[in-house]
Amino acid sequence: MTPLTYIRASDRADALARVGTDGRFLGGGTNLVDLLRQNVEQASALVDISRLDGAIREIEGGGLLIDASVKNAALAAHPIVRSRYPVLARALLAGASAQIRNMATVGGNILQRTRCMYFYDADGARCNKRQPGAGCDALDGFNRYHAILGASDQCVATHPSDMCVALAMLDAVVHLSGPAGERQVPLMDFHVLPGDMPQIETVLKPGELITGIELPPPSDAIANSEYRKVRDRSSYAFALISVAGGLSLANGQVTQIRIALGGVAAKPWRASRAEHALLGRAPTPDAFLAAIREELVDAQPLSGNAFKIGLVERTTVAVLTALAGANA
Amino acid sequence: MICVNGIEISPPDDARVSLLDLLREHLHLTGTKKGCDQGACGACTVLLDGDRVLACLTLAAQAEGRDVRTIEGLSGESDDLHPLQRAFVEHDGLQCGYCTPGQICSAIAMAEELRRGDPSYVTHDLAAGPPVATRAEIRERMSGNLCRCGAHNGIVEAIEAMLAETAA
């Protein structure tokens, strides 16, 4: 880690004023401190925003506004999140360990970097994300954890967040504040696919800060929602794949459907094609399978992750069948 | 200042110093262990204002104005072992002992999380009241602490014994 200055921001305006061009905002540090120590990232200053207001409040219209510095553990334990947004509570609890959830902030979770081991290996591996134009050692390397959707010949890394998969499924909105003022970006538009510039991961502008996340009012499909994560061991591991699903039925037909996938792409993947295919259909396992297969038509597996296609299919069918309950 | 086991400590001049290195290298409180130094093993778990955190990924500067408790500070003024330390001895919750300080700090905070009703990934009904401390719940909640000797069964038994003692 190169020498740096530590600044504790007194409020949001203070943080924005002091971050400068080479500074970084510091939340829980569970990813950034590690990246700095491994020399994957460099910063001249860290502006600590982890002690800024961390409120969770209901807003007009019935949604929820979550400050960016709220800890993952606090959000997962919040009574409103547990009762009205179960998919989000479960996704948060699926991520990392209790210690890390106590440290990690909501804003930092959204901005965490891929766990591709070639990205982390600053001394020994080629990575277009870390060093544009260097090449990608994951393409022909150990790519069991890598993407099957939306990747490019420059980068096949996945986004590691569980929380973001639930936020994508919920149509959450990211609140931003920066030198040019405040703006809001749907979570689904916040992360970008790698294309020819895998070093660009989000639409965040220089000096811009995530200030909060807005959840929509709960609907029937959000109230009846679940998150299932499949990993190499039963706890404290990143997802091979994950599925966030929400479903509501009336008269034996699907009236609302929400599906998002994790561990398959450089961003949380909203399975819009599958959702479209299921609206108005009877909620049967066969229909669920046909729909998710339609979503995966463009999947391009690598040498080590073709199993993800079948795994996404089976997990999606299992989640939706469970949500359909006795009606499936 | 940082309050470490009740004693006020100045934060280090170099902002890069982790809370773990402050404890071990500057204060010579070597009970807290450095395993992976990248947030994967839990050996460096300490209590920060009562919550369990990883000292390796916490910058010491971030602990300014806060209360840090390590394995050395669990028994307070007396030399007696903490009830969970006694339970670890009775239930063979260790072999080499390297992960033990982290396991014990972690489990003490976990008991408080259970008491206030925080759910875990394996809690069936997230909206229901306080979860029951089954073995499955304890194992999931302790998954951030690895034991390479494989003493996990004894660790879970020791924690169960402590929870039973506290409830009694």
Side-chain angles (χ1 to χ4, degrees):
Chain A
M1 205 187 298
T2 50
L4 48 79
T5 310
Y6 172 86
I7 299 160
R8 186 173 306 126
S10 55
D11 57 30
R12 200 175 278 168
D14 184 45
L16 288 167
R18 295 172 80 177
V19 73
T21 48
D22 298 324
R24 294 289 307 273
F25 296 114
L26 176 69
T30 58
N31 193 198
L32 182 57
V33 168
D34 196 27
L35 290 164
L36 292 167
R37 197 176 280 153
Q38 305 288 334
N39 279 321
V40 177
E41 292 203 33
Q42 290 81 32
S44 61
L46 292 178
V47 177
D48 187 352
I49 52 169
S50 64
R51 293 198 205 184
L52 300 188
D53 279 348
I56 301 170
R57 50 190 177 274
E58 292 182 86
I59 52 177
E60 214 176 297
L64 205 61
L65 186 61
I66 303 153
D67 283 339
S69 58
V70 169
K71 301 288 192 289
N72 283 213
L75 185 57
H78 196 277
I80 291 179
V81 175
R82 290 161 65 176
S83 59
R84 299 185 201 164
Y85 303 93
V87 66
L88 178 58
R90 189 78 71 187
L92 285 158
L93 294 168
S97 66
Q99 290 94 317
I100 291 173
R101 293 193 293 272
N102 278 337
M103 303 166 69
T105 62
V106 167
N109 189 323
I110 293 172
L111 288 176
Q112 63 178 309
R113 315 279 316 263
T114 183
R115 295 287 166 165
C116 173
M117 64 287 282
Y118 302 107
F119 171 68
Y120 266 77
D121 187 3
D123 297 327
R126 296 179 305 153
C127 173
N128 287 321
K129 187 186 284 294
R130 181 166 29 79
Q131 192 186 345
C136 171
D137 277 337
L139 281 173
D140 299 312
F142 185 80
N143 50 37
R144 175 176 169 76
Y145 279 89
H146 291 68
I148 55 172
L149 290 168
S152 73
D153 59 2
Q154 298 290 304
C155 183
V156 292
T158 51
H159 195 263
S161 169
D162 293 294
M163 180 191 79
C164 286
V165 182
L167 292 181
M169 178 273 206
L170 289 168
D171 286 315
V173 175
V174 185
H175 287 222
L176 302 169
S177 185
E182 300 190 350
R183 63 183 180 128
Q184 301 179 4
V185 178
L187 188 276
M188 274 314 300
D189 299 333
F190 186 77
H191 299 98
V192 296
L193 292 173
D196 292 331
M197 290 193 289
Q199 71 275 21
I200 308 290
E201 297 171 357
T202 70
V203 298
L204 199 67
K205 293 173 182 165
E208 213 171 20
L209 175 67
I210 296 178
T211 59
I213 301 293
E214 183 180 333
L215 304 184
S219 62
D220 290 347
I222 290 174
N224 183 38
S225 65
E226 191 52 280
Y227 182 78
R228 195 174 296 190
K229 178 177 183 180
V230 184
R231 37 194 160 174
D232 276 331
R233 58 186 185 198
S234 62
S235 186
Y236 198 19
F238 290 99
L240 287 164
I241 65 100
S242 65
V243 176
L247 181 68
S248 74
L249 306 169
N251 302 319
Q253 290 186 338
V254 175
T255 52
Q256 294 174 17
I257 176 85
R258 291 167 174 267
I259 308 169
L261 308 174
V264 296
K267 58 183 287 184
W269 194 268
R270 186 72 183 260
S272 308
R273 276 193 219 170
E275 292 175 355
H276 186 72
L278 283 168
L279 264 184
R281 297 285 307 278
T284 65
D286 284 348
F288 298 146
L289 180 61
I292 193 63
R293 283 193 170 153
E294 204 169 318
E295 186 68 42
L296 295 171
V297 160
D298 297 332
Q300 289 189 307
L302 303 161
S303 55
N305 69 3
F307 71 92
K308 283 193 176 187
I309 293 177
L311 195 53
V312 168
E313 289 175 358
R314 291 190 297 278
T315 309
T316 304
V317 171
V319 166
L320 297 179
T321 303
L323 291 172
N327 297 302
Chain B
M1 302 294 275
I2 305 169
C3 185
V4 179
N5 298 332
I7 297 166
E8 297 287 335
I9 305 293
S10 297
D13 294 331
D14 190 333
R16 295 173 293 180
V17 174
S18 68
L19 177 59
L20 177 58
D21 283 342
L22 176 80
L23 294 171
R24 288 184 55 84
E25 309 298 333
H26 297 220
L27 306 179
H28 307 293
L29 291 170
T30 53
T32 306
K33 296 297 186 274
K34 182 182 279 193
C36 66
D37 207 26
Q38 56 179 12
C41 76
C44 66
T45 302
V46 298
L47 305 177
L48 187 61
D49 288 342
D51 290 327
R52 45 179 168 168
V53 299
L54 300 176
C56 74
L57 293 181
T58 303
L59 296 178
Q62 289 177 285
E64 195 174 357
R66 305 180 70 178
D67 183 77
V68 179
R69 197 153 291 266
T70 71
I71 191 77
E72 290 93 344
L74 291 185
S75 52
E77 296 291 306
S78 76
D79 285 336
D80 294 342
L81 292 178
H82 184 279
L84 184 59
Q85 290 175 305
R86 281 203 311 274
F88 262 65
V89 173
E90 285 165 23
H91 294 273
D92 284 335
L94 66 149
Q95 186 175 313
C96 83
Y98 198 80
C99 73
T100 311
Q103 299 275 6
I104 287 176
C105 287
S106 187
I108 287 171
M110 185 210 70
E112 174 60 20
E113 292 161 12
L114 271 170
R115 194 197 58 75
R116 67 180 181 226
D118 292 356
S120 86
Y121 184 66
V122 300
T123 304
H124 178 66
D125 185 352
L126 293 173
V132 179
T134 60
R135 286 182 73 88
E137 280 281 1
I138 294 171
R139 291 179 74 92
E140 165 60 25
R141 288 163 190 269
M142 291 297 294
S143 70
N145 293 83
L146 306 189
C147 168
R148 283 176 49 161
C149 302
H152 289 287
N153 288 333
I155 291 168
V156 173
E157 282 163 21
I159 293 170
E160 283 183 306
M162 174 191 68
L163 293 174
E165 192 178 316
T166 314

